[in-house]
Amino acid sequence: QKEVEQNSGPLSVPEGAIASLNCTYSDRGSQSFFWYRQYSGKSPELIMFIYSNGDKEDGRFTAQLNKASQYVSLLIRDSQPSDSATYLCAVVRPGGGGNKLTFGTGTQLKVEL
Amino acid sequence: DAGITQSPRHKVTETGTPVTLRCHQTENHRYMYWYRQDPGHGLRLIHYSYGVKDTDKGEVSDGYSVSRSKTEDFLLTLESATSSQTSVYFCAISESSGGLEQYFGPGTRLTVT
């Protein structure tokens, strides 16, 4: 079992719809969770982080964390073609020093006109 | 922009040669990281640093060494490059205030022939 799992996609949504991206993690002690957006040929860009159970909203983005079920999700409202990218989920696992992140392999999102 | 630069941005080298990649930051952050990104594997941590001359291994450290003699510079050396080290290498930082969020540099594309 991978430590952080994401569906590779592509996930296709029409412009204006809600895109829902999911991530599961294996280590129940994980505390901190991050979503990065990566355009093709570019570096990952941090868009959301969440540390507590529940929802965290920032503009069109909402991160949801459910520690009991060991999943974290990212909702993108009013999806735009510019949201087309690969979204990476990352987790800080317990016991490691220096805030080491473990990444999933990413979900490719395509927003269609 | 977290004030991170990487050099070179592209490099082609031959098997068996040593290669050094440089990460430079301008904002005095304590933590610096080196990742590699490969299709199907996502981002994987190679080494990280939690201060000048303080470094530790990540999950894929074999064949790599690092040095940090100044706060602003974190060097990654491939001691004897192999074709399996063909990859995109990203440097990241996290802020000295103790935040867990990591911010990435633009990346270096390395090809070992």
Side-chain angles (χ1 to χ4, degrees):
Chain A
Q1 181 186 8
K2 290 184 178 179
E3 295 177 40
V4 180
E5 293 207 56
Q6 298 180 255
N7 188 317
S8 62
L11 172 66
S12 293
V13 299
E15 184 178 6
I18 296 175
S20 178
L21 304 161
N22 298 312
C23 171
T24 59
Y25 58 94
S26 61
D27 194 324
R28 186 170 290 278
S30 299
Q31 296 292 323
S32 308
F33 307 86
F34 305 85
W35 284 100
Y36 287 83
R37 177 176 63 198
Q38 187 174 27
Y39 294 112
S40 180
K42 302 295 185 181
S43 60
E45 174 192 6
L46 180 65
I47 54 172
M48 289 287 287
F49 57 89
I50 185 167
Y51 301 152
S52 303
N53 264 340
D55 294 0
K56 179 182 178 182
E57 185 174 320
D58 184 1
R60 295 188 297 112
F61 299 100
T62 299
Q64 299 176 318
L65 175 60
N66 184 324
K67 289 187 176 180
S69 301
Q70 294 177 239
Y71 81 79
V72 56
S73 61
L74 179 70
L75 302 178
I76 306 174
R77 289 181 298 282
D78 188 23
S79 295
Q80 301 297 310
S82 60
D83 294 326
S84 297
T86 296
Y87 290 80
L88 307 174
C89 173
V91 174
V92 174
R93 291 180 292 119
N99 310 329
K100 292 186 284 187
L101 290 179
T102 299
F103 283 83
T105 53
T107 297
Q108 185 183 7
L109 174 66
K110 293 185 176 181
V111 180
E112 299 169 334
L113 296 171
Chain B
D1 182 0
I4 308 169
T5 57
Q6 293 185 231
S7 59
R9 295 293 312 280
H10 301 271
K11 186 171 181 67
V12 179
T13 192
E14 293 184 349
T15 298
T17 60
V19 177
T20 295
L21 308 182
R22 180 185 185 229
C23 177
H24 179 79
Q25 54 132 336
T26 60
E27 299 185 15
N28 207 35
H29 297 303
R30 178 181 176 188
Y31 293 96
M32 300 184 75
Y33 309 81
W34 277 108
Y35 291 87
R36 60 178 289 175
Q37 187 173 36
D38 305 288
H41 291 279
L43 280 156
R44 292 178 291 174
L45 181 66
I46 304 171
H47 282 280
Y48 68 98
S49 171
Y50 45 96
V52 172
K53 298 186 179 179
D54 291 324
T55 64
D56 205 350
K57 296 179 179 180
E59 60 180 301
V60 290
S61 59
D62 287 348
Y64 300 95
S65 62
V66 289
S67 66
R68 193 171 179 197
S69 59
K70 300 185 291 184
T71 299
E72 59 265 36
D73 288 326
F74 191 32
L75 304 181
L76 176 71
T77 297
L78 287 65
E79 294 141 7
S80 177
T82 67
S83 58
S84 64
Q85 294 176 311
T86 292
S87 187
V88 180
Y89 291 85
F90 290 104
C91 174
I93 60 92
S94 57
E95 296 172 347
S96 298
S97 61
L100 299 177
E101 306 89 72
Q102 293 185 20
Y103 300 90
F104 285 80
T108 294
R109 183 173 295 277
L110 176 68
T111 302
V112 183
T113 61

